[in-house]
Amino acid sequence: MDEAEYDYDLLVIGSGPGGQKAAISAAKLGKRVCVIERRDMVGGVSANKGTIPSKTLREAVLYLTGLSMREVYGQSYRVKQDITVQDLMARTQQVISREIEVVRAQLLRNHVELIIGTGRFVDPHTVVVEGGGERRQVTAANIVIATGTRPARPSHVEFDDARVVDSDGILLLDRLPDSMVVVGAGVIGIEYASMFAALGCRVTVVERRDRMLDFCDPEVVESLKFHLRDLSVAFRFGEDVEKVEIGRNGTVTTLSSGKRIPAETVMYSAGRQGVTEDLSLENAGLWADKRGRIAVDSQYRTEVGHIFAVGDVIGFPALAATSMDQGRLASLYAFGEPANELRGIQPFGIYTTPEISFCGRTEEELTGDSVPYEVGISRYRELARGQIAGDSYGMLKLLVSPSTRHLLGVHVFGTGAADLVHVGQAVMGCGGTVDYLVDTVFNFPTLSEAYKVAALDVTNKLRALEQFDM
């Protein structure tokens, strides 16, 4: 069947970060494009229940609690004494609404048709869309699946969306709890644990593994744990949850070791489940694993050559930023356009309190692969901007090759980490060396100066080695 005989050149199922960028990228190539999305989910999980609301909530928490300025004005400093759910959600709802309008406007501006409803495959090139009492069948030469994920709900846990909730339900609480158990120390669990701890909630984190965020730099993770413990967060590692009982005044979580933890609320962050069960994938010759994830190759192509999948539905790293790039790349691959993916230097941003961001490799990875490296560290307390911002604990770590002087990894912990990491990412992407960071001039006073301090630290160590070898 010739491409012209299909209704569209590209059909995208899902309007989150990955789907949106796939659609717009194809539209920029002059292709006929449509996006299928449910009425209440334009913008995808990211805009409605994930990245946008959680990060907006974090900003509201940091501002209203005055947490980030307590080193300047004292530990009792607080912008608002009695913070309510309404205080936190007012700004969140405003940002969500604005983001949804931005997505709609971008699709409209690029002449991408938005079809409201739930899509499922009829055959590899045909999707039927049902919603609002209407049924429509559309065909496309190429299809991108970008349906995202939802929180996984273990079958042995009784969720009542009031006392026992998942990471979606946590945004719908009618009051702020005084105590909370967070089950799962992954990115989402730790982000919410740090937010509620900042609000004064007594948080206990239960994790079945022996450590958390094991893909991050261990020194950074230890620093984060120290600060969370300072906010009265308790950790229970190597523990499984046996059961959660709901009573009139709260919950009791029983661990496999016999420990019992009382709390007003329990939040489960037990991973994510791909939203694929209603797609009728078998009609397209596809399948999903038990977590609802779809397998793809290096070009985000599924086993069926003209069908692609991007974003959280294909698994790790499951970040909004990487999903956007996957969508763009899949669209280019679909139409045979040149594409370049800088997969090795994709940044990670974890919006805990304080935040973490890194790019490149960790010390553990380099050591495991027997790759020599030297470390340069800068502490925010050494920087004028660190003093001004009231951040005495932040740090920036550079991992540098002694032979080539190229950056192997950049790890940042503290204020603005997710923004700062991009300086190191740019240097790595352009093949620059640590000498560039030594020679360049940074604005003063800024946190970006941390790069120069860390670069000087590591070059001094490298000089000592060179003098020894002479």
Side-chain angles (χ1 to χ4, degrees):
M1 191 173 182
D2 189 79
E3 278 196 15
E5 296 180 53
Y6 292 108
D7 298 326
Y8 298 96
D9 300 311
L10 181 71
L11 180 152
V12 181
I13 306 175
S15 63
Q20 179 194 354
K21 298 307 179 188
I24 291 174
S25 179
K28 295 293 187 186
L29 296 173
K31 306 298 181 181
R32 299 166 300 153
V33 187
C34 76
V35 172
I36 298 171
E37 184 58 275
R38 291 172 289 169
R39 183 175 301 278
D40 61 342
M41 286 296 286
V42 173
V45 172
S46 174
N48 290 271
K49 298 180 179 180
T51 303
I52 297 302
S54 66
K55 277 50 178 181
T56 307
L57 181 65
R58 178 181 181 273
E59 289 299 312
V61 168
L62 288 177
Y63 173 70
L64 292 171
T65 61
L67 184 68
S68 60
M69 297 304 290
R70 286 182 188 171
E71 290 209 19
V72 178
Y73 298 114
Q75 293 302 307
S76 62
Y77 176 72
R78 200 174 179 92
V79 173
K80 192 173 191 295
Q81 196 61 40
D82 297 314
I83 300 171
T84 66
V85 168
Q86 288 70 34
D87 293 327
L88 297 172
M89 296 309 297
R91 177 64 177 153
T92 302
Q93 290 302 328
Q94 185 182 38
V95 173
I96 291 172
S97 297
R98 176 59 183 154
E99 184 67 13
I100 290 170
E101 286 307 310
V102 167
V103 172
R104 284 184 177 274
Q106 286 180 340
L107 296 176
L108 178 65
R109 188 166 64 246
N110 286 280
H111 308 291
V112 174
E113 184 179 356
L114 179 60
I115 302 175
I116 298 298
T118 301
R120 60 178 176 82
F121 284 99
V122 175
D123 62 48
H125 284 281
T126 308
V127 174
V128 65
V129 187
E130 296 175 311
E134 297 182 1
R135 187 177 187 275
R136 177 180 173 184
Q137 191 162 289
V138 291
T139 60
N142 298 282
I143 296 172
V144 172
I145 300 171
T147 49
T149 57
R150 54 177 168 76
R153 288 192 164 195
S155 57
H156 68 281
V157 179
E158 182 185 341
F159 290 87
D160 67 351
D161 296 324
R163 297 287 190 183
V164 182
V165 299
D166 56 26
S167 56
D168 286 354
I170 199 75
L171 297 167
L172 303 174
L173 293 178
D174 56 6
R175 62 182 295 276
L176 295 176
D178 291 327
S179 55
M180 175 184 291
V181 171
V182 175
V183 182
V187 172
I188 294 172
I190 291 298
E191 285 183 347
Y192 276 112
S194 64
M195 273 187 249
F196 280 88
L199 288 164
C201 178
R202 296 188 309 279
V203 178
T204 301
V205 176
V206 179
E207 170 57 57
R208 66 190 309 173
R209 294 169 294 184
D210 293 328
R211 55 188 289 196
M212 68 184 198
L213 305 178
D214 53 7
F215 56 91
C216 294
D217 178 83
E219 184 178 1
V220 168
V221 174
E222 283 303 314
S223 297
L224 176 63
K225 282 199 290 188
F226 172 83
H227 283 278
L228 291 179
R229 285 189 175 114
D230 202 39
L231 290 172
S232 300
V233 176
F235 292 96
R236 298 287 180 263
F237 291 108
E239 296 270 20
D240 276 311
V241 173
E242 192 172 275
K243 63 179 178 178
V244 177
E245 299 169 278
I246 303 173
R248 189 172 61 183
N249 298 318
T251 68
V252 172
T253 301
T254 302
L255 308 184
S256 54
S257 64
K259 296 185 184 74
R260 301 179 75 226
I261 308 169
E264 280 190 40
T265 303
V266 174
M267 189 195 92
Y268 256 82
S269 181
R272 308 281 297 182
Q273 185 77 24
V275 183
T276 51
E277 64 272 16
D278 295 328
L279 287 176
S280 298
L281 290 174
E282 64 280 0
N283 293 339
L286 294 173
W287 59 278
D289 67 14
K290 63 181 181 180
R291 296 303 292 262
R293 295 170 299 199
I294 299 173
V296 296
D297 65 12
S298 60
Q299 293 190 346
Y300 306 103
R301 202 182 299 267
T302 67
E303 292 180 296
V304 179
H306 66 277
I307 301 178
F308 299 75
V310 300
D312 291 13
V313 78
I314 66 171
F316 187 84
L319 302 168
T322 52
S323 298
M324 290 179 189
D325 207 45
Q326 290 168 6
R328 178 185 69 87
L329 291 164
S331 190
L332 295 175
Y333 290 133
F335 297 107
E337 294 289 327
N340 183 35
E341 182 173 10
L342 301 177
R343 188 173 296 195
I345 57 170
Q346 289 176 338
F348 283 71
I350 303 171
Y351 293 87
T352 46
T353 305
E355 66 190 65
I356 295 171
S357 193
F358 70 93
C359 180
R361 307 187 74 186
T362 66
E363 290 192 63
E364 279 189 322
E365 290 171 342
L366 293 171
T367 300
D369 291 340
S370 300
V371 177
Y373 65 91
E374 190 53 84
V375 180
I377 289 181
S378 172
R379 310 278 178 189
Y380 281 20
R381 63 173 177 265
E382 301 168 354
L383 308 174
R385 174 56 70 179
Q387 297 296 330
I388 293 167
D391 185 339
S392 63
Y393 49 79
M395 62 170 283
L396 183 146
K397 176 191 287 190
L398 299 179
L399 306 181
V400 177
S401 168
S403 56
T404 68
R405 302 174 80 88
H406 286 110
L407 302 187
L408 302 174
V410 178
H411 302 267
V412 194
F413 173 71
T415 304
D419 286 305
L420 279 175
V421 75
H422 295 121
V423 175
Q425 180 194 21
V427 174
M428 293 172 73
C430 294
T433 67
V434 69
D435 299 302
Y436 166 78
L437 296 173
V438 170
D439 297 336
T440 198
V441 176
F442 290 93
N443 281 328
F444 177 87
T446 63
L447 293 176
S448 296
E449 278 186 280
Y451 276 100
K452 186 146 192 164
V453 174
L456 288 167
D457 181 38
V458 74
T459 51
N460 287 338
K461 294 174 182 176
L462 293 176
R463 186 179 298 112
L465 285 172
E466 289 164 2
Q467 290 173 345
F468 182 82
D469 292 335
M470 289 177 63

mmCIF file of all heavy atoms in Angstrom, residues 148-149 272 274 289 291-296 309-319 322-323 326:
data_model
loop_
_atom_site.group_PDB
_atom_site.id
_atom_site.type_symbol
_atom_site.label_atom_id
_atom_site.label_comp_id
_atom_site.label_asym_id
_atom_site.label_seq_id
_atom_site.Cartn_x
_atom_site.Cartn_y
_atom_site.Cartn_z
ATOM 1 N N GLY A 148 3.080 6.027 27.666
ATOM 2 C CA GLY A 148 3.542 6.287 29.027
ATOM 3 C C GLY A 148 3.237 5.153 29.995
ATOM 4 O O GLY A 148 2.964 4.014 29.597
ATOM 5 N N THR A 149 3.260 5.498 31.289
ATOM 6 C CA THR A 149 3.063 4.503 32.338
ATOM 7 C C THR A 149 2.115 5.030 33.409
ATOM 8 O O THR A 149 1.785 6.215 33.435
ATOM 9 C CB THR A 149 4.404 4.152 33.013
ATOM 10 O OG1 THR A 149 4.991 5.354 33.531
ATOM 11 C CG2 THR A 149 5.365 3.481 32.056
ATOM 12 N N ARG A 272 6.612 1.432 37.874
ATOM 13 C CA ARG A 272 5.590 1.897 36.939
ATOM 14 C C ARG A 272 5.163 0.759 36.014
ATOM 15 O O ARG A 272 5.917 -0.175 35.750
ATOM 16 C CB ARG A 272 6.133 3.050 36.092
ATOM 17 C CG ARG A 272 6.764 4.197 36.869
ATOM 18 C CD ARG A 272 5.759 5.130 37.458
ATOM 19 N NE ARG A 272 4.956 5.818 36.460
ATOM 20 C CZ ARG A 272 4.023 6.716 36.755
ATOM 21 N NH1 ARG A 272 3.760 7.024 38.024
ATOM 22 N NH2 ARG A 272 3.325 7.310 35.809
ATOM 23 N N GLY A 274 3.507 -0.016 32.193
ATOM 24 C CA GLY A 274 3.212 0.561 30.887
ATOM 25 C C GLY A 274 1.726 0.528 30.576
ATOM 26 O O GLY A 274 1.043 -0.454 30.852
ATOM 27 N N ASP A 289 5.817 -6.848 27.903
ATOM 28 C CA ASP A 289 6.228 -7.720 28.992
ATOM 29 C C ASP A 289 5.286 -7.562 30.184
ATOM 30 O O ASP A 289 4.298 -6.814 30.109
ATOM 31 C CB ASP A 289 7.692 -7.478 29.385
ATOM 32 C CG ASP A 289 7.939 -6.092 30.005
ATOM 33 O OD1 ASP A 289 6.961 -5.414 30.383
ATOM 34 O OD2 ASP A 289 9.111 -5.704 30.115
ATOM 35 N N ARG A 291 5.498 -5.933 32.790
ATOM 36 C CA ARG A 291 5.383 -4.553 33.279
ATOM 37 C C ARG A 291 4.799 -3.618 32.227
ATOM 38 O O ARG A 291 4.838 -2.398 32.376
ATOM 39 C CB ARG A 291 6.757 -4.030 33.719
ATOM 40 C CG ARG A 291 7.372 -4.769 34.912
ATOM 41 C CD ARG A 291 6.488 -4.759 36.152
ATOM 42 N NE ARG A 291 6.339 -3.464 36.760
ATOM 43 C CZ ARG A 291 7.034 -3.031 37.801
ATOM 44 N NH1 ARG A 291 7.950 -3.803 38.348
ATOM 45 N NH2 ARG A 291 6.822 -1.838 38.315
ATOM 46 N N GLY A 292 4.243 -4.202 31.159
ATOM 47 C CA GLY A 292 3.593 -3.402 30.121
ATOM 48 C C GLY A 292 4.550 -2.668 29.209
ATOM 49 O O GLY A 292 4.150 -1.757 28.478
ATOM 50 N N ARG A 293 5.829 -3.067 29.201
ATOM 51 C CA ARG A 293 6.826 -2.379 28.393
ATOM 52 C C ARG A 293 6.987 -3.052 27.034
ATOM 53 O O ARG A 293 6.871 -4.270 26.907
ATOM 54 C CB ARG A 293 8.167 -2.348 29.124
ATOM 55 C CG ARG A 293 8.133 -1.525 30.403
ATOM 56 C CD ARG A 293 9.390 -1.712 31.229
ATOM 57 N NE ARG A 293 9.566 -3.099 31.638
ATOM 58 C CZ ARG A 293 10.344 -3.480 32.648
ATOM 59 N NH1 ARG A 293 11.013 -2.584 33.341
ATOM 60 N NH2 ARG A 293 10.456 -4.764 32.955
ATOM 61 N N ILE A 294 7.303 -2.227 26.033
ATOM 62 C CA ILE A 294 7.456 -2.710 24.664
ATOM 63 C C ILE A 294 8.938 -2.688 24.298
ATOM 64 O O ILE A 294 9.630 -1.690 24.540
ATOM 65 C CB ILE A 294 6.650 -1.834 23.684
ATOM 66 C CG1 ILE A 294 5.154 -1.887 24.030
ATOM 67 C CG2 ILE A 294 6.895 -2.251 22.248
ATOM 68 C CD1 ILE A 294 4.303 -0.925 23.235
ATOM 69 N N ALA A 295 9.425 -3.769 23.712
ATOM 70 C CA ALA A 295 10.836 -3.861 23.319
ATOM 71 C C ALA A 295 11.074 -3.117 22.007
ATOM 72 O O ALA A 295 10.264 -3.193 21.073
ATOM 73 C CB ALA A 295 11.242 -5.329 23.171
ATOM 74 N N VAL A 296 12.195 -2.382 21.944
ATOM 75 C CA VAL A 296 12.574 -1.642 20.736
ATOM 76 C C VAL A 296 14.063 -1.838 20.464
ATOM 77 O O VAL A 296 14.820 -2.246 21.349
ATOM 78 C CB VAL A 296 12.263 -0.132 20.864
ATOM 79 C CG1 VAL A 296 10.774 0.116 20.993
ATOM 80 C CG2 VAL A 296 13.023 0.483 22.048
ATOM 81 N N ALA A 309 8.185 2.821 19.383
ATOM 82 C CA ALA A 309 7.721 3.097 20.746
ATOM 83 C C ALA A 309 8.770 3.943 21.447
ATOM 84 O O ALA A 309 9.980 3.714 21.282
ATOM 85 C CB ALA A 309 7.474 1.805 21.518
ATOM 86 N N VAL A 310 8.316 4.929 22.215
ATOM 87 C CA VAL A 310 9.237 5.852 22.885
ATOM 88 C C VAL A 310 8.711 6.209 24.274
ATOM 89 O O VAL A 310 7.538 6.017 24.590
ATOM 90 C CB VAL A 310 9.424 7.161 22.067
ATOM 91 C CG1 VAL A 310 9.987 6.875 20.693
ATOM 92 C CG2 VAL A 310 8.095 7.931 21.947
ATOM 93 N N GLY A 311 9.602 6.726 25.099
ATOM 94 C CA GLY A 311 9.200 7.222 26.417
ATOM 95 C C GLY A 311 9.192 6.145 27.474
ATOM 96 O O GLY A 311 9.828 5.093 27.354
ATOM 97 N N ASP A 312 8.436 6.388 28.523
ATOM 98 C CA ASP A 312 8.396 5.477 29.668
ATOM 99 C C ASP A 312 7.947 4.078 29.300
ATOM 100 O O ASP A 312 8.296 3.106 29.968
ATOM 101 C CB ASP A 312 7.467 6.040 30.755
ATOM 102 C CG ASP A 312 8.034 7.282 31.415
ATOM 103 O OD1 ASP A 312 9.005 7.854 30.877
ATOM 104 O OD2 ASP A 312 7.515 7.693 32.465
ATOM 105 N N VAL A 313 7.168 3.961 28.228
ATOM 106 C CA VAL A 313 6.607 2.655 27.861
ATOM 107 C C VAL A 313 7.688 1.680 27.377
ATOM 108 O O VAL A 313 7.444 0.482 27.277
ATOM 109 C CB VAL A 313 5.494 2.828 26.801
ATOM 110 C CG1 VAL A 313 6.086 3.054 25.403
ATOM 111 C CG2 VAL A 313 4.538 1.646 26.782
ATOM 112 N N ILE A 314 8.908 2.186 27.109
ATOM 113 C CA ILE A 314 9.990 1.273 26.719
ATOM 114 C C ILE A 314 10.964 1.050 27.880
ATOM 115 O O ILE A 314 11.955 0.329 27.733
ATOM 116 C CB ILE A 314 10.747 1.765 25.466
ATOM 117 C CG1 ILE A 314 11.519 3.069 25.738
ATOM 118 C CG2 ILE A 314 9.796 1.917 24.293
ATOM 119 C CD1 ILE A 314 12.446 3.481 24.594
ATOM 120 N N GLY A 315 10.698 1.681 29.043
ATOM 121 C CA GLY A 315 11.523 1.433 30.221
ATOM 122 C C GLY A 315 12.597 2.473 30.441
ATOM 123 O O GLY A 315 12.507 3.608 29.961
ATOM 124 N N PHE A 316 13.641 2.072 31.188
ATOM 125 C CA PHE A 316 14.721 2.966 31.605
ATOM 126 C C PHE A 316 15.273 3.764 30.426
ATOM 127 O O PHE A 316 15.401 3.212 29.342
ATOM 128 C CB PHE A 316 15.841 2.128 32.249
ATOM 129 C CG PHE A 316 16.938 2.930 32.882
ATOM 130 C CD1 PHE A 316 16.803 3.407 34.171
ATOM 131 C CD2 PHE A 316 18.087 3.204 32.187
ATOM 132 C CE1 PHE A 316 17.820 4.153 34.762
ATOM 133 C CE2 PHE A 316 19.110 3.944 32.756
ATOM 134 C CZ PHE A 316 18.979 4.427 34.047
ATOM 135 N N PRO A 317 15.601 5.075 30.595
ATOM 136 C CA PRO A 317 15.617 5.811 31.859
ATOM 137 C C PRO A 317 14.287 6.437 32.262
ATOM 138 O O PRO A 317 14.168 6.947 33.356
ATOM 139 C CB PRO A 317 16.670 6.893 31.591
ATOM 140 C CG PRO A 317 16.593 7.154 30.139
ATOM 141 C CD PRO A 317 16.275 5.834 29.504
ATOM 142 N N ALA A 318 13.302 6.435 31.374
ATOM 143 C CA ALA A 318 11.958 6.897 31.734
ATOM 144 C C ALA A 318 11.960 8.302 32.317
ATOM 145 O O ALA A 318 11.377 8.571 33.362
ATOM 146 C CB ALA A 318 11.286 5.915 32.707
ATOM 147 N N LEU A 319 12.621 9.213 31.628
ATOM 148 C CA LEU A 319 12.650 10.622 32.015
ATOM 149 C C LEU A 319 11.943 11.443 30.941
ATOM 150 O O LEU A 319 11.986 11.101 29.756
ATOM 151 C CB LEU A 319 14.095 11.122 32.153
ATOM 152 C CG LEU A 319 14.992 10.387 33.154
ATOM 153 C CD1 LEU A 319 16.440 10.802 32.951
ATOM 154 C CD2 LEU A 319 14.531 10.668 34.572
ATOM 155 N N THR A 322 14.557 12.546 28.237
ATOM 156 C CA THR A 322 14.977 11.510 27.298
ATOM 157 C C THR A 322 13.816 11.082 26.412
ATOM 158 O O THR A 322 14.010 10.764 25.229
ATOM 159 C CB THR A 322 15.547 10.282 28.039
ATOM 160 O OG1 THR A 322 14.611 9.851 29.040
ATOM 161 C CG2 THR A 322 16.860 10.613 28.727
ATOM 162 N N SER A 323 12.598 11.106 26.941
ATOM 163 C CA SER A 323 11.425 10.754 26.143
ATOM 164 C C SER A 323 11.249 11.725 24.976
ATOM 165 O O SER A 323 10.915 11.314 23.852
ATOM 166 C CB SER A 323 10.170 10.758 27.012
ATOM 167 O OG SER A 323 10.256 9.795 28.033
ATOM 168 N N GLN A 326 13.758 10.814 22.363
ATOM 169 C CA GLN A 326 13.387 9.552 21.718
ATOM 170 C C GLN A 326 12.287 9.769 20.689
ATOM 171 O O GLN A 326 12.315 9.184 19.597
ATOM 172 C CB GLN A 326 12.941 8.541 22.775
ATOM 173 C CG GLN A 326 14.062 8.027 23.655
ATOM 174 C CD GLN A 326 13.556 7.270 24.873
ATOM 175 O OE1 GLN A 326 12.349 7.036 25.011
ATOM 176 N NE2 GLN A 326 14.449 6.880 25.751
#
